[in-house]
């Protein structure tokens, strides 16, 4: 009989906290609380002169049987020109500092942001290495369309500032 009571105690200890979850969920729902909407729509950073270009870059779509990128006219006009973008560094390799990385419009871990897509990522080749971190960076470099590495965009000879 003692074995059965111990088994029941263990089962109760395991199941009791699970019974609270629906009640807690109902309490949040009943209070009218919602997951906070993202403050700037599909992009994590507010709209300013360093983030506006992301909205244009994100308009690129795949077309045709070969799935070639179709760039908006504004983006086509920027090929080979110096541009500035603020975004989040995603390293391509292990290490403390990086001179080659992906700049993303949104942090990879942001659940409220638009999911990463080729049009919201830029390969960066910087002049100097930068330490990996989670804060946004401002990158200024020469924009190249359709680089050979597979993404739609690349920034060459880029300068980086925290921002």
């Amino acid at each position: 009989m003692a074995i059965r009571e111990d088994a029941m105690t263990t089962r109760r200890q395991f199941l009791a906290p699970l019974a609270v979850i629906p009640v807690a969920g109902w309490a949040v729902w009943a209070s009218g609380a919602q997951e906070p909407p993202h403050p700037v729509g599909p992009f994590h950073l507010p709209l300013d002169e360093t983030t506006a270009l992301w909205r244009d870059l994100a308009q690129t779509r795949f077309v045709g049987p070969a799935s070639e990128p179709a760039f908006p006219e504004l983006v086509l006009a920027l090929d080979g020109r110096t541009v500035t973008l603020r975004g989040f560094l995603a390293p391509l390799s292990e290490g403390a500092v990086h001179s080659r990385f992906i700049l993303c419009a949104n942090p990879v871990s942001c659940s409220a942001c638009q999911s990463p897509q080729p049009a919201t990522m830029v390969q960066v080749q910087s002049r100097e290495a930068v330490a990996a971190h989670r804060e946004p960076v401002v990158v200024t470099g020469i924009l190249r369309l359709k680089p050979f590495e597979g993404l739609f965009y690349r920034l060459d000879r880029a300068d980086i500032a925290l921002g």
Side-chain angles (χ1 to χ4, degrees), residues 40-44 47 51-62 69-76 78 85 103-106 113-122 143 145 152-153:
V40 290
F43 294 102
H44 189 84
L47 182 62
T51 60
L53 183 56
W54 284 119
R55 280 119 182 111
D56 297 322
L57 297 176
Q59 299 305 311
T60 298
R61 299 287 184 254
F62 288 114
F71 299 103
E73 291 297 321
L74 179 69
V75 174
L76 283 171
L78 294 174
L85 276 170
L103 185 70
C104 301
N106 296 319
C113 299
Q114 173 181 327
S115 59
Q117 300 185 15
T120 60
M121 296 184 289
V122 176
L143 181 67
L145 305 184
F152 293 161
Y153 313 110

Side-chain angles (χ1 to χ4, degrees), residues 4-161:
R4 185 164 173 84
E5 287 178 21
D6 287 342
M8 292 298 284
T9 302
T10 303
R11 190 175 297 151
R12 283 187 197 133
Q13 288 172 341
F14 177 73
L15 294 176
L18 295 177
V20 175
I21 293 172
V23 174
W26 178 85
V28 170
W29 174 80
S31 71
Q34 298 176 351
E35 183 176 322
H38 204 281
V40 290
F43 294 102
H44 189 84
L45 295 170
L47 182 62
D48 65 18
E49 66 276 355
T50 64
T51 60
L53 183 56
W54 284 119
R55 280 119 182 111
D56 297 322
L57 297 176
Q59 299 305 311
T60 298
R61 299 287 184 254
F62 288 114
V63 295
S67 294
E68 286 292 317
F71 299 103
E73 291 297 321
L74 179 69
V75 174
L76 283 171
L78 294 174
D79 191 19
R81 303 187 103 187
T82 300
V83 299
T84 298
L85 276 170
R86 185 166 46 139
F88 297 90
L89 188 143
L92 291 171
S93 61
E94 295 289 324
V97 295
H98 305 275
S99 60
R100 187 171 174 260
F101 57 90
I102 301 293
L103 185 70
C104 301
N106 296 319
V108 177
S109 62
C110 180
S111 62
C113 299
Q114 173 181 327
S115 59
Q117 300 185 15
T120 60
M121 296 184 289
V122 176
Q123 180 184 336
V124 176
Q125 182 64 48
S126 65
R127 294 179 200 227
E128 295 183 20
V130 64
H133 53 81
R134 295 183 185 264
E135 297 302 314
V137 294
V138 177
V139 180
T140 301
I142 299 170
L143 181 67
R144 304 287 183 200
L145 305 184
K146 290 176 49 174
F148 297 109
E149 291 81 17
L151 292 177
F152 293 161
Y153 313 110
R154 184 179 69 226
L155 283 179
D156 289 334
R157 296 186 298 202
D159 293 314
I160 303 162

